Amino acid sequence: MEKHNAAVLRLGMLLSAFVDARELGIVTVEKALVELTRNSYEPDICYFGPDKASTIKPDLLYYPAPDLVVEVLSKSTQKNDREIKFEDYAAHGVGEYWLIDPTRQTVELFSLDADTEAYALVGLYRMGDSVSSQTLAGFSIPVKAIFDAQANMAALRTYCQRIHNNGLQHAKAPEGSFRGFCVCG
């Protein structure tokens, strides 16, 4: 369970720092109840772009379908993450879906194919590789930053340096969202 929690936290921090600095929407970690037609889910990490983020209010019970969903696999959730959630997220237009395996230390990135309305594998990324979002232009991290504390801090410092170099400011966060911070020491 600790590998799962650490991966969620590390990737959530990186996504949030990137999104917040550019005012690109909202990143939530684990407590966004996403209401879909067949089921409701609490994905490990959700990204809502500016349009959907503008509809999210502090007292919102159910969130809309995110633009990007990340699920960290575990023995108890892997089947659902790869089957029913996989189908449901695609059917509701979630444009990008990441499956993170903390045991194998891999990231599978899927993108919604507009013609088939199903996910197509963009790539399987391992330690030593970098993974880049299809939805968030410019968001690219070493896979190691999801699984290793030192690599995560280095990636956060890189984003913070870019923020300061470009004069970007962190956006104000809606209540309940997971908002990034800068670690520039």
Side-chain angles (χ1 to χ4, degrees):
M1 193 62 163
E2 179 53 32
K3 286 181 182 180
H4 178 280
N5 293 341
V8 169
L9 182 60
R10 288 181 183 129
L11 181 56
M13 286 189 304
L14 291 169
L15 274 168
S16 188
F18 183 88
V19 168
D20 289 353
R22 291 158 183 79
E23 298 182 359
L24 296 174
I26 296 172
V27 173
T28 62
V29 175
E30 294 186 331
K31 295 302 176 190
L33 185 59
V34 174
E35 174 99 359
L36 304 179
T37 307
R38 182 167 48 171
N39 295 298
S40 296
Y41 301 110
E42 283 187 343
D44 290 320
I45 301 172
C46 296
Y47 162 69
F48 301 91
D51 291 341
K52 290 180 183 176
S54 69
T55 69
I56 296 172
K57 305 298 178 216
D59 58 348
L60 185 69
L61 179 58
Y62 294 107
Y63 286 72
D67 295 299
L68 180 150
V69 167
V70 177
E71 295 286 7
V72 178
L73 302 174
S74 64
K75 287 182 182 180
S76 64
T77 66
Q78 182 168 317
K79 183 173 172 52
N80 281 340
D81 292 340
R82 291 190 177 281
E83 294 175 9
I84 194 162
K85 287 183 182 182
F86 193 88
E87 292 171 10
D88 281 356
Y89 292 149
H92 287 83
V94 175
E96 188 170 338
Y97 187 39
W98 292 26
L99 290 173
I100 296 178
D101 186 332
T103 302
R104 291 180 176 80
Q105 296 185 322
T106 59
V107 177
E108 293 172 74
L109 191 155
F110 298 90
S111 184
L112 194 58
D113 182 297
D115 294 331
T116 64
E117 297 180 358
Y119 285 123
L121 180 66
V122 173
L124 172 64
Y125 303 92
R126 295 179 167 81
M127 297 291 269
D129 295 335
S130 288
V131 59
S132 301
S133 173
Q134 307 293 296
T135 300
L136 282 164
F139 182 77
S140 183
I141 58 166
V143 170
K144 188 174 183 177
I146 299 170
F147 305 108
D148 178 83
Q150 295 304 318
N152 186 267
M153 290 302 296
L156 279 171
R157 285 189 188 102
T158 297
Y159 280 133
C160 288
Q161 192 59 47
R162 288 181 191 157
I163 290 166
H164 291 291
N165 288 346
N166 294 321
L168 299 172
Q169 301 295 318
H170 289 286
K172 292 200 175 217
E175 187 176 316
S177 65
F178 181 81
R179 303 305 272 187
F181 57 92
C182 214
V183 183
C184 300

